[in-house]
Amino acid sequence: LALEIGPGEGAFLAELAPRFERVIGLDVSEAMLASAAQFVDSAGLGNVELQHGDTASALELGIKADCIVANMVLHHTSSPADVFHEIAQLLAPGGSFFLTELCHHDQVWAREACGDVWLGFDPIDISQWASACALEETKQLYFAQRNGFSVQVRQFTHNKAAATAG
């Protein structure tokens, strides 16, 4: 099972669908889910389902995903640390969490123009949130965009020893 948090218009669901038996796109925006539904239908992605909600509601559904993807979602949430905690609970043993997120920036216009709650994140903060919920970082990549933003791509897995000790 793969879970994409905030699938937007659904393009990445097409990358996940051939790799997993079942894919869930989870979004708090009904409008974005409608766009994703059109994409899923037009692409014939029969193993993809769309769910309205957030990571807390996914926990209530008892979802355990082998792969969780969050692409440019965290900076739209009120409590990224809570989202990390919920993702750790949603992740099946041996599963991986892939995060693509903005590095901290000072482009304040993004709050109003894009609905950003956070102006990106310092990589250390993300590492601390992951560590606090027994997610172990396995890979990381950083790159700069021409528009002045820097992006971080991170992969995490369960630190099983820490999870069982805590």
Side-chain angles (χ1 to χ4, degrees):
L1 171 65
L3 171 66
E4 183 175 8
I5 301 166
E9 295 181 353
F12 198 69
L13 295 170
E15 298 297 323
L16 295 170
R19 292 169 172 83
F20 294 90
E21 290 179 25
R22 183 174 167 220
V23 178
I24 299 172
L26 177 72
D27 208 306
V28 296
S29 168
E30 292 279 7
M32 293 312 295
L33 282 175
S35 291
Q38 288 180 338
F39 178 82
V40 166
D41 288 343
S42 69
L45 304 177
N47 64 334
V48 175
E49 63 187 77
L50 300 172
Q51 183 73 39
H52 182 254
D54 57 14
T55 49
S57 60
L59 283 173
E60 293 173 8
L61 295 173
I63 292 173
K64 282 292 185 190
D66 301 295
C67 174
I68 299 177
V69 176
N71 182 25
M72 297 297 179
V73 172
L74 204 58
H75 63 268
H76 294 288
T77 65
S78 59
S79 178
D82 288 346
V83 172
F84 260 86
H85 180 71
E86 291 159 354
I87 286 170
Q89 294 175 70
L90 291 166
L91 197 59
S96 291
F97 169 44
F98 298 91
L99 174 71
T100 305
E101 192 50 75
L102 297 171
C103 292
H104 182 72
H105 60 85
D106 61 1
Q107 299 187 41
V108 179
W109 59 266
R111 289 191 195 274
E112 189 169 321
C114 305
D116 293 9
V117 177
W118 299 90
L119 297 178
F121 302 98
D122 188 303
I124 292 172
D125 291 333
I126 289 177
S127 294
Q128 289 174 342
W129 295 328
S131 179
C133 54
L135 292 176
E136 181 178 345
E137 186 153 13
T138 54
K139 295 182 183 178
Q140 55 184 289
L141 173 69
Y142 300 88
F143 56 95
Q145 302 277 357
R146 289 186 193 150
N147 63 6
F149 291 105
S150 292
V151 176
Q152 48 189 311
V153 181
R154 318 274 293 270
Q155 179 184 1
F156 303 92
T157 58
H158 271 295
N159 181 338
K160 293 178 186 136
T164 56

